Amino acid sequence: MHAVNRRAARVAARCLVVPLAAAPLLFAAQPAFAHTDLVTGSPAEAASESRPPQTIKLTFSDEMTSRYAKVALTAPDGEPGAAGAPQVSGRTVTLPVKPGLPAGSYTVGYRVVSADGHPVTGSYRFTVEEAAPAPAPTPTRTPTPTPTPARTDDASRTDDTSSTPDPPLPVVAIAGGLFLLAAAGVSVAVTRRRRTRHGS
């Protein structure tokens, strides 16, 4: 009987030693199998913002991979509110937001994959009290007309001198007088020749 009891005690001790030896390994392996969680969001869940945010920032408990980071923003009218693709930096994913969005309830949806390969999916809502102001129109520059150069005095003088000036009045009178005298002299000479011919 004593020998049987000793053997049973030895077997029981061996069965207890194996689980106790493996226990530290099990506890050490637990963090490796822990799921990645959303730590903070900006804007936060159920937050009430005075104006629409410019970006959505989500911070997770583990680092994210850029390839599998998907974040979306849905506006109150059901239209997408993102202005581009999400950007990943370590544990933070940033999503740019369109300008000029309306007031109301917004929904943030995300599906990301951590560096150790665990996917994380979720969504939450926040509220915007006032719509974003409409962007100011970009002013258009009106081209300045090129002034046309005016005519200078030299150009007008050149045009004036190109035409032949009229002779002054005294020159015309003298020329007319000489013409009359020449005509009278011719007439007297002709009369004299006629008289000479008749007298002979």
Side-chain angles (χ1 to χ4, degrees):
M1 291 292 297
H2 292 287
V4 173
N5 291 336
R6 289 179 181 178
R7 289 180 181 179
R10 290 177 182 177
V11 171
R14 291 176 182 176
C15 293
L16 291 175
V17 168
V18 173
L20 291 176
L25 297 177
L26 294 175
F27 284 106
Q30 284 183 355
F33 292 99
H35 291 289
T36 302
D37 295 324
L38 176 64
V39 178
T40 58
S42 177
E45 182 177 2
S48 180
E49 302 288 324
S50 59
R51 294 288 178 87
Q54 296 181 352
T55 58
I56 302 295
K57 290 186 177 181
L58 305 179
T59 302
F60 296 88
S61 57
D62 295 324
E63 292 189 357
M64 300 291 103
T65 56
S66 302
R67 183 177 179 181
Y68 299 106
K70 306 295 181 182
V71 179
L73 177 66
T74 304
D77 54 3
E79 295 295 325
Q87 303 295 324
V88 177
S89 177
R91 298 186 299 118
T92 302
V93 183
T94 304
L95 181 71
V97 177
K98 292 180 181 178
L101 292 177
S105 177
Y106 286 79
T107 302
V108 178
Y110 58 88
R111 187 184 189 283
V112 296
V113 177
S114 61
D116 59 2
H118 289 93
V120 182
T121 304
S123 64
Y124 67 89
R125 292 186 176 186
F126 66 91
T127 305
V128 173
E129 298 177 358
E130 297 181 9
T138 304
T140 57
R141 296 183 59 184
T142 304
T144 305
T146 304
T148 304
R151 291 180 66 183
T152 60
D153 294 339
D154 294 339
S156 59
R157 290 175 184 175
T158 303
D159 295 340
D160 294 340
T161 55
S162 61
S163 60
T164 304
D166 297 333
L169 184 59
V171 175
V172 175
I174 294 173
L178 294 176
F179 178 78
L180 293 177
L181 290 176
V186 171
S187 177
V188 172
V190 171
T191 303
R192 287 181 179 177
R193 289 180 182 179
R194 288 179 180 177
R195 288 180 181 178
T196 304
R197 290 177 182 177
H198 291 295
S200 62

